[in-house]
Amino acid sequence: MNWPDNGASAAARQQLAAALVAGRPSEWSDAFASVPRHMFVPRFYRQNAEGAWQSVTWGEPGYLETVYSDAALTTQLDDRGVPTSSSSQPSLMLSMLEALDATEGHRVFELGTGTGYNLGLLAHQLGDANVTSVDIDPGLIEDAVRHLQHAGFNPTVAVGDGAQGYPRRAPYDRIISTVGLHMIPQPLLHQASPGAVLVVPLGYGIMRATVTGPGHATGRFLTTPAHFMARRTNGAAPQFEAADQQSPTDSSVPAEALLGRLKFAASLALPGYSSCSWRDEGGQLEAVGLWTPDGSTAIAHVSGAVRQTGPQQIWDTVEDLDKVFGSEPARDEFVLTVTPTRQTVSYGDTDGPSWALPTAL
Ligand SMILES: C[S@@+](CC[C@H](N)C(=O)[O-])C[C@H]1O[C@@H](n2cnc3c(N)ncnc32)[C@H](O)[C@@H]1O
């Protein structure tokens, strides 16, 4: 291992830290200026113009500038070239850490160790003894331990499904997830101390919730948009061929609305949905594909023709959302209420629409 800190990395890091806080006071500016991201991301992958992934390793041209820029960095790919781990965008990490409001003496649980960089920031701020993190990937945990030790940290890390928490080190005063969730896992609430704060990606937003009792929590979304890697589960593949064979219906909702103003609301109404788009050679949108973990699939063409298949008619849900949200809604108007048996997101006042999130992990 040879990723020493030198004048160039220290200067680049301080520049990034200054740019992130942009002149305002932040309790996290010292952590970003001190913890060497390059020791956690000795190699990352980026896509060239043809979409092929290329690795960039410590010491190569452009490496240092990119590691110390406000960029999310893909750090692991699976056999099909799909990213399976990344170091999140530093400005988003900062927003989440600030929202976490962790102060001296707080015990923090992190879901999704990845490179260990966010955990290094937490350990810098709160001390090794107060931070614990879990990742589902044993290889990543092995690497993260090396990165952390190289940077001078030694927090508790473990392999497992982070949605189950880590009971041996509970209770936690603060819980942060760097993995996308579809609901708040009950085990986390049961490992939280009274009044604990959770900051977790929920759908395409960031939820900040407070624990109000055993298995109970309530909170609002931050205004910050976010799209995190989803917690690894076994969702069904999209059924595009089966959808193509269905008779089309006419939709008045423009296909592109799903990629823009309805994207966040759809992530709450259709938990765990994925989407893709088809474009012509000139880059003009032709159609949008949409599917949920139960295999329900819809293809919406820009002409208005929609074909759907599977247990749910999921484009019908998009049409319902369109009736409510003619323009992009403010994220912080969405409120989450969690009880041991139900999780509900409601919009606006008490008469506004609401959606039930899944309760099973
Ligand atoms: C965006 S990365 C985490 C970034 C990390 N905090 C960092 O600073 O590098 C998401 C991570 O979540 C992990 N992950 C996915 N599903 C998980 C699960 N069910 N439990 C724990 N970790 C999970 C992935 O292996 C991946 O490393």
Side-chain angles (χ1 to χ4, degrees):
M1 191 174 342
N2 179 27
W3 322 305
D5 204 15
N6 55 29
S9 47
R13 183 162 68 248
Q14 267 149 33
Q15 232 173 35
L16 172 63
L20 290 177
V21 300
R24 64 186 175 80
S26 169
E27 292 186 352
W28 288 92
S29 71
D30 181 59
F32 279 93
S34 306
V35 179
R37 194 185 191 200
H38 71 274
M39 291 187 188
F40 295 87
V41 188
R43 179 171 56 186
F44 60 86
Y45 298 89
R46 65 179 166 206
Q47 277 177 302
N48 65 17
E50 287 76 47
W53 289 101
Q54 290 173 331
S55 73
V56 183
T57 304
W58 182 87
E60 290 182 356
Y63 165 84
L64 202 62
E65 293 79 350
T66 311
V67 160
Y68 288 112
S69 68
D70 188 23
L73 301 172
T74 298
T75 51
Q76 184 172 270
L77 301 165
D78 70 11
D79 299 344
R80 296 169 302 143
V82 176
T84 50
S85 193
S86 62
S87 171
S88 313
Q89 186 181 18
S91 54
L92 181 55
M93 292 169 66
L94 175 64
S95 298
M96 291 178 71
L97 289 168
E98 286 182 333
L100 195 64
D101 193 23
T103 55
E104 207 181 329
H106 277 152
R107 293 167 61 81
V108 179
F109 175 74
E110 181 198 45
L111 199 172
T113 316
T115 66
Y117 177 50
N118 194 54
L119 186 60
L121 295 167
L122 285 162
H124 172 92
Q125 198 82 342
L126 302 165
D128 288 337
N130 287 322
V131 291
T132 302
S133 181
V134 168
D135 200 288
I136 202 152
D137 187 325
L140 289 174
I141 284 290
E142 213 173 284
D143 288 347
V145 168
R146 276 189 297 122
H147 301 158
L148 286 156
Q149 285 177 349
H150 191 40
F153 301 110
N154 192 23
T156 302
V157 292
V159 178
D161 179 0
Q164 300 294 345
Y166 191 68
R168 279 172 63 185
R169 303 257 307 154
Y172 302 106
D173 305 300
R174 298 288 184 265
I175 294 173
I176 185 167
S177 175
T178 55
V179 186
L181 302 175
H182 306 151
M183 39 81 84
I184 307 285
Q186 275 289 331
L188 299 185
L189 296 182
H190 287 288
Q191 291 167 39
S193 54
V197 171
L198 289 91
V199 176
V200 300
L202 199 60
Y204 288 137
I206 304 285
M207 166 53 55
R208 183 185 195 276
T210 305
V211 176
T212 48
H216 291 256
T218 179
R220 272 180 196 275
F221 284 87
L222 305 186
T223 51
T224 326
H227 181 195
F228 272 82
M229 265 169 202
R231 173 174 165 253
R232 292 190 204 172
T233 50
N234 296 321
Q239 307 296 313
F240 290 135
E241 279 182 19
D244 261 336
Q245 284 160 20
Q246 307 302 312
S247 314
T249 53
D250 246 352
S251 175
S252 58
V253 181
E256 60 269 29
L258 184 69
L259 306 176
R261 78 182 145 90
L262 298 180
K263 181 177 161 144
F264 171 63
S267 74
L268 302 173
L270 295 168
Y273 89 87
S274 305
S275 66
C276 65
S277 53
W278 290 276
R279 291 175 190 276
D280 65 18
E281 282 179 4
Q284 290 297 313
L285 186 70
E286 290 183 323
V288 169
L290 168 71
W291 68 101
T292 47
D294 64 1
S296 302
T297 302
I299 301 171
H301 200 271
V302 287
S303 66
V306 172
R307 292 178 169 83
Q308 309 194 61
T309 188
Q312 303 179 72
Q313 299 285 288
I314 52 181
W315 194 261
D316 295 5
T317 303
V318 175
E319 294 196 342
D320 291 344
L321 292 174
D322 180 67
K323 289 184 195 117
V324 183
F325 302 116
S327 60
E328 191 165 350
R331 284 159 192 262
D332 53 357
E333 292 286 312
F334 289 78
V335 174
L336 173 72
T337 309
V338 179
T339 71
T341 52
R342 279 182 69 79
Q343 304 209 5
T344 312
V345 174
S346 45
Y347 174 71
D349 54 32
T350 42
D351 296 333
S354 66
W355 303 272
L357 300 182
T359 46
L361 269 180

